[in-house]
Amino acid sequence: MMFNKQVQKATKLVQQGAKVQFSKCSVNFFVRSRSSTIYYRVKVNGQFGTDRTTGIKAKLGEFNTESLVIKNNPSDSTRLNQLKNSILRVFTERDLTGRSLEPDVIRDIALGLRGHDSTIPSLIEGIELYLQQKELLLGNGLSVGSVKRYQGYRNLLVRFVTVTYGPKATFDQLKPALEHDLISYLKGNRGFSHNYALKVFQFLKTILEYAVSHEWAERNVLRTARLRKYYKPVETLTMDDLSQLKGIGLIEPNAAMVRDVFLFCCYTGMAYADVAELKAHHIVTVNEVKCVLKDRQKSGIQAFTPLFPEALSILDKYATNELCVMKGVLLPVLSNQKMNNWLKVIGNLAGIKKPLHTHLARKTFTMYAEELGFSLNDMATMLGHTHTAMTEKHYYQRRREPVISKFKSIFVNPDPQRQAS
């Protein structure tokens, strides 16, 4: 009914002498010589849609691209003409009813893949919709830090899409070359490290899978793409480094607080985000041993760490600290940026060659725990890891000292009870 009214209105305007400009649409068929397969694309007002296969094969000399006749193949010739007429009919309906005339949309409607009124978001809109769905999980499996990280990925992807494909790009415009284009943009144009570029790449890959599940795209062009993460050798401080840090005299109160918090993390393996919110109820007594029992902010997995004497002495030092009492926390933790700035200064004063930063303390804990005789499995439990592979790959540094120490305990200074047994 709506379509008929629009046609009648347009006809009346023409009869009255009004200048009515109609859009132009054509369907171009062609044969790709390598496969002998007939392809087609829709063209509307000079804008081409993406190439699509008809699934029909014909040699170059046997197919007339104008009449769409295939020599000695009347059935497939009829199919091609029906496809063309169907596309042109859909175009006419959308043109006269004032709807969008995107070539790929017209083609999909003609093929029955979507209806006239169904809306498929653009690539940028799809990225936004995916992020909105993720943000709904905030506080229920998703931390504030993760949301901010995803928002950063979103901003980068929106800029990339705008520059590379245009602000109105659709999911169907993407090709497997997207993998190379995105990595080149992130590492070349923006100067990001390979591992950070990989995180953005994986984020987009998940979005494309999300788009396929919502039928915004027919395929995920990155599904088979595989990029390897670069792993840096794990670095930790030594016991001598910890002694130097502990013994250095610091007059500035903030510097002393930063040093103490850093050492506490070295003795407990706690991450910056977790030590910043450490409170009295996180300290529990298990079999007469004081321990930290706390869900990690990043993963939600519970970390269980006994408080070694060095860590307990730091907590005792700040038990009556005015800032701690006001905030209801156990340690006076500055912002991560300020902590790292102070740690650079403190490291230079202590004569430590490795640049200090807050996360180095968590890795140093594996060295400290190993010196005390704890196994890799024990370290994983104390760090809040679900398996030792995570601990070994990202936190544990293999060293010669424990091997030498073990050898001496067996052969140089053997335990008499061990020999007797």
Side-chain angles (χ1 to χ4, degrees):
M1 181 67 75
M2 180 67 179
F3 172 67
N4 292 332
K5 287 183 178 179
Q6 293 287 350
V7 173
Q8 292 172 5
K9 184 177 179 180
T11 305
K12 188 175 181 181
L13 287 172
V14 173
Q15 291 173 348
Q16 292 174 354
K19 292 183 178 180
V20 180
Q21 292 186 351
F22 290 97
S23 300
K24 296 180 180 180
C25 176
S26 62
V27 187
N28 303 321
F29 291 82
F30 54 94
V31 176
R32 288 189 174 170
S33 56
R34 287 186 178 181
S35 61
S36 298
T37 302
I38 300 175
Y39 283 75
Y40 71 102
R41 72 170 72 96
V42 181
K43 179 182 178 183
V44 179
N45 297 331
Q47 179 186 358
F48 285 97
T50 53
D51 296 351
R52 285 301 171 94
T53 179
T54 62
I56 299 172
K57 291 183 178 293
K59 295 181 180 179
L60 284 172
E62 298 179 351
F63 176 56
N64 188 315
T65 57
E66 296 297 328
S67 63
L68 306 185
V69 173
I70 304 173
K71 187 177 180 179
N72 300 325
N73 193 344
S75 61
D76 284 340
S77 300
T78 302
R79 287 172 56 196
L80 293 178
N81 278 280
Q82 288 176 340
L83 174 62
K84 179 179 179 180
N85 293 334
S86 178
I87 291 172
L88 294 176
R89 184 180 69 254
V90 171
F91 160 76
T92 303
E93 292 177 5
R94 294 184 70 81
D95 184 31
L96 291 175
T97 54
R99 292 169 175 170
S100 67
L101 299 176
E102 296 180 28
D104 288 344
V105 172
I106 292 172
R107 178 204 64 211
D108 289 346
I109 295 173
L111 294 174
L113 299 177
R114 56 175 290 178
H116 275 293
D117 297 321
S118 62
T119 57
I120 295 180
S122 67
L123 185 51
I124 291 178
E125 290 171 343
I127 293 171
E128 296 287 354
L129 288 171
Y130 176 78
L131 184 60
Q132 290 174 16
Q133 289 295 317
K134 295 295 289 185
E135 289 174 345
L136 294 176
L137 300 176
L138 182 61
N140 188 19
L142 191 69
S143 67
V144 176
S146 295
V147 170
K148 290 182 178 179
R149 190 163 62 253
Y150 293 153
Q151 289 172 345
Y153 299 161
R154 181 270 313 275
N155 294 338
L156 285 171
L157 289 175
V158 168
R159 293 192 196 103
F160 165 73
V161 170
T162 303
V163 170
T164 309
Y165 300 98
K168 294 184 179 180
T170 62
F171 285 95
D172 286 338
Q173 289 180 238
L174 300 179
K175 297 180 179 180
L178 170 66
E179 171 190 351
H180 308 288
D181 294 339
L182 178 59
I183 296 299
S184 297
Y185 172 79
L186 294 172
K187 296 173 66 174
N189 297 49
R190 302 305 301 271
F192 291 116
S193 67
H194 175 81
N195 286 351
Y196 187 80
L198 179 59
K199 292 178 181 178
V200 181
F201 172 84
Q202 293 292 356
F203 186 71
L204 177 58
K205 190 174 181 179
T206 305
I207 291 174
L208 295 184
E209 203 62 42
Y210 182 79
V212 171
S213 66
H214 282 74
E215 297 184 351
W216 302 338
E218 292 185 5
R219 61 172 181 154
N220 179 354
V221 296
L222 298 180
R223 178 172 290 175
T224 59
R226 297 289 184 271
L227 293 179
R228 290 187 177 183
K229 186 177 181 180
Y230 294 162
Y231 290 102
K232 294 181 180 179
V234 177
E235 290 189 343
T236 70
L237 297 181
T238 65
M239 292 299 288
D240 289 339
D241 292 332
L242 294 183
S243 297
Q244 287 178 257
L245 280 175
K246 189 175 179 180
I248 187 175
L250 297 171
I251 301 175
E252 171 63 41
N254 282 342
M257 287 192 301
V258 168
R259 184 266 311 275
D260 292 340
V261 171
F262 180 80
L263 285 173
F264 181 83
C265 292
C266 290
Y267 298 142
T268 61
M270 296 190 69
Y272 168 81
D274 295 315
V275 77
E277 58 180 26
L278 184 64
K279 299 181 180 180
H281 68 269
H282 294 133
I283 308 299
V284 298
T285 301
V286 180
N287 294 335
E288 301 180 356
V289 177
K290 284 190 175 182
C291 306
V292 175
L293 193 63
K294 182 182 182 300
D295 292 342
R296 292 205 58 220
Q297 187 188 82
K298 183 177 181 180
S299 63
I301 298 172
Q302 191 175 75
F304 172 71
T305 309
L307 286 170
F308 302 111
E310 292 88 346
L312 281 171
S313 64
I314 294 175
L315 289 181
D316 292 339
K317 182 178 178 180
Y318 292 95
T320 58
N321 180 273
E322 184 177 349
L323 183 62
C324 293
V325 173
M326 284 176 53
K327 292 186 175 182
V329 294
L330 298 182
L331 291 171
V333 181
L334 304 181
S335 70
N336 197 25
Q337 183 179 2
K338 290 181 179 178
M339 285 271 294
N340 285 327
N341 289 338
W342 272 115
L343 285 171
K344 291 176 184 177
V345 176
I346 295 168
N348 289 332
L349 291 174
I352 298 174
K353 294 181 180 180
K354 292 186 180 72
L356 303 186
H357 52 87
T358 54
H359 200 57
L360 179 62
R362 184 164 164 80
K363 296 183 178 182
T364 297
F365 172 72
T366 60
M367 180 279 303
Y368 177 74
E370 187 177 49
E371 285 288 328
L372 295 177
F374 289 91
S375 68
L376 189 64
N377 189 60
D378 297 331
M379 297 175 203
T381 301
M382 292 187 282
L383 288 169
H385 293 160
T386 53
H387 46 77
T388 57
M390 177 73 169
T391 311
E392 187 172 18
K393 183 178 289 187
H394 300 285
Y395 293 86
Y396 179 70
Q397 182 185 46
R398 294 187 179 276
R399 302 178 300 126
R400 297 176 181 176
E401 291 83 355
V403 178
I404 298 298
S405 178
K406 187 73 172 178
F407 181 89
K408 287 182 176 180
S409 69
I410 298 173
F411 298 104
V412 180
N413 299 308
D415 184 358
Q417 293 182 353
R418 180 188 179 93
Q419 287 184 328
S421 62

